[in-house]
Amino acid sequence: MDEVRQSAYRATANTIIKKLERRNMTGHHCATAAEAVELALELVPHDASVTWGGSVTFGESGVKAALANAGCRMIDRAAATTPEEQEEMWRNQVSADWFFMSTNAITVDGELVNIDGNANRLSLLLHGPKHVCVIAGMNKVVADVESGIKRIRTVSCPLNAARLHTNTPCELTGVCAECHAKGCMCCQEVITRHSRHNDRIHVILVGEQLGF
Ligand code: SF4
């Protein structure tokens, strides 16, 4: 069964990689998270500065630990405790060599579909770090943008709400109510359909279930 699943994932990933190329983004396929770790260690120079945003996948895949062990300068937003430290941390994040994130969804046509509350994660995708690496399990693949938004509302948000205790309807009932709550995670909806900058956005599609 695993062989069947991997064969299907490989075929889908190869199709998406071609679509990403047209969008000036570089796609990669790794059958496992262990392969994604090896690829990340090849892509990222070991003296690079590395930061990340709101990604379960970055830790779960093992990529974060591997880059830290390799000697990369890890810029951890969570380490800032005062407003001054947070401001300094933000400046370091914006000028980082590599920014790692997952994506809430990716379409078979290669569009990245994401939502954000504070938008610090998405602002770093849009502008700032020299390179962005999106690591996405094949569970994030959807047919189109509309399906991506549906996935976010029905899968990503209830799980992230339970993780972060947002006190939003999707935490309390498990169902989206198109809220305007204080802890709303859907303040911005961002579709990345093209990258203007060569070699900036890499997408690693992993043949496993990763993140939400
Ligand atoms: S709009 Fe509100 S209720 Fe709906 S998924 Fe987003 S945060 Fe949850």
Side-chain angles (χ1 to χ4, degrees), residues 77 79-91:
R77 186 178 74 193
T81 53
T82 65
E84 293 75 25
E85 282 176 1
Q86 281 162 353
E87 206 170 300
E88 175 68 17
M89 188 65 79
W90 176 248
R91 278 195 288 273

Side-chain angles (χ1 to χ4, degrees), residues 28-106:
H28 312 262
H29 169 248
C30 293
T32 63
E35 282 183 25
V37 168
E38 292 307 312
L39 177 59
L41 287 170
E42 282 170 29
L43 286 174
V44 179
H46 298 177
D47 59 352
S49 55
V50 171
T51 193
W52 57 96
S55 173
V56 171
T57 300
F58 185 48
E60 193 178 72
S61 63
V63 173
K64 181 181 172 185
L67 292 175
N69 290 338
C72 291
R73 186 164 68 84
M74 307 301 277
I75 303 169
D76 182 0
R77 186 178 74 193
T81 53
T82 65
E84 293 75 25
E85 282 176 1
Q86 281 162 353
E87 206 170 300
E88 175 68 17
M89 188 65 79
W90 176 248
R91 278 195 288 273
N92 290 335
Q93 283 195 293
V94 169
S95 58
D97 296 318
W98 282 84
F99 172 60
F100 279 79
M101 59 178 283
S102 186
T103 185
N104 295 121
I106 178 167

Side-chain angles (χ1 to χ4, degrees), residues 152-153 157-158 168-171 175-181 183-186:
I152 288 167
R153 296 283 200 272
C157 281
T168 50
C170 53
E171 180 188 7
V175 176
C176 173
E178 292 291 339
C179 79
H180 294 275
C184 181
M185 295 173 285
C186 303

Side-chain angles (χ1 to χ4, degrees), residues 11-23:
T12 307
N14 286 340
T15 298
I16 296 173
I17 287 167
K18 285 196 192 92
K19 304 286 186 176
L20 285 167
E21 197 178 331
R22 190 165 51 96
R23 299 177 182 281

